[in-house]
Each structure stands twice: as structure tokens, then as C-alpha cells.
Amino acid sequence: MTKERNQIIPYNSELKEKARFLRKNSTLPEVILWQSIKDRALGVQFHRQVPMLQYIVDFYCHEIGLAIEIDGNSHDHQFLYDAKRQDKIEKYGVTFLRFTNQEVKSNIQEVLIVIEAKVKELLE
């Protein structure tokens, strides 16, 4: 399935409450990244904790189909689950960027350079 601009990926409506809870209880790396990408700071609008299919992605831009995931300790033993989940969502044309908690906390400028480059690439 190819990505259309501003395509809404179907989701399980039961995830709305969980997504709201996650937005209200963000991790420190999520807060750090959000402060740098909110309000169209990179020229596109990102949303936090977005339900897609049976999953919730940390950040998503509908305009260009870009998902950003921040992987913390809870992801250390979930590599196969994360890969399967990402593969299912990528079938809708979504592009993923993944960063670790440590990358965001200790090197936010490098993280933003990578995100900015991907945004520019997807806008072309």
C-alpha cells in the first residue's frame, strides 16, 4: 500500500484512551524531543502518541508519513515485537526513525539533524 499525503492509518478505537494516557505521562526523552519538534518547528506538524492499527507510535507526521519512535528500556527485549509492528505499519507507506532514550537525552542536536534531513527528503 502506498502512502498518500495526510492519509489516516486505521486504528483500533480502544487505543484512544491509552494514547491520551501516554501523552499525559510522557517520558523525559519524549518531552525533550517534543519541545524541539512541536508547533511545526521543522516545517511539518507532528502529533504525539498516535494510534495506528493495533499500535501507538510516539510521534507521527500525517503530512509526510513519518513516525518517530524513542526506544527506552522497555524495548530492550522487544526487538522482534517492534520489528513486526513497524513492518505492519510500513505497509501503509509510513517511514520510521528510531532513537534510544540515551540518544535523545545526551545528543538531541544530532537527533534533530537526522529528523530534519528525513523531513526534507520526504517533502521532496
Side-chain angles (χ1 to χ4, degrees), residues 1-3 84 86-94:
M1 188 173 286
T2 59
K3 175 79 179 96
K84 178 180 165 187
Q86 181 171 329
D87 182 59
K88 285 182 179 181
I89 296 171
E90 283 176 334
K91 286 186 168 113
Y92 284 82
V94 174

Side-chain angles (χ1 to χ4, degrees), residues 36-69:
S36 299
I37 66 173
K38 69 180 184 177
D39 299 327
R40 301 185 74 83
L42 301 178
V44 293
Q45 184 68 48
F46 281 94
H47 301 275
R48 296 181 302 146
Q49 304 300 340
V50 178
M52 295 182 166
L53 305 176
Q54 276 29 293
Y55 313 103
I56 297 174
V57 297
D58 293 333
F59 301 97
Y60 184 64
C61 175
H62 296 278
E63 296 168 58
I64 57 174
L66 177 60
I68 301 172
E69 285 286 287

Side-chain angles (χ1 to χ4, degrees), residues 27-30 32-34 36-37 42 46 58-60 66-76 82 85-86 95-119:
T27 65
L28 178 60
E30 289 170 349
I32 291 169
L33 182 57
W34 180 241
S36 299
I37 66 173
L42 301 178
F46 281 94
D58 293 333
F59 301 97
Y60 184 64
L66 177 60
I68 301 172
E69 285 286 287
I70 302 175
D71 297 335
N73 296 340
S74 68
H75 293 264
D76 287 350
D82 286 345
R85 157 186 192 266
Q86 181 171 329
T95 300
F96 272 80
L97 288 177
R98 287 189 171 279
F99 302 98
T100 65
N101 277 347
Q102 194 56 39
E103 286 175 304
V104 174
K105 289 193 292 190
S106 64
N107 209 345
I108 187 64
Q109 291 308 319
E110 284 296 317
V111 167
L112 291 173
I113 287 169
V114 170
I115 296 170
E116 212 167 350
K118 186 55 76 175
V119 166

Side-chain angles (χ1 to χ4, degrees), residues 11-26 48-52 55-58:
Y11 72 96
N12 178 341
S13 61
E14 293 174 16
L15 293 177
K16 278 178 86 169
E17 283 303 314
K18 183 175 182 185
R20 185 174 291 131
F21 174 83
L22 291 171
R23 281 192 293 274
K24 290 181 180 180
N25 296 279
S26 298
R48 296 181 302 146
Q49 304 300 340
V50 178
M52 295 182 166
Y55 313 103
I56 297 174
V57 297
D58 293 333

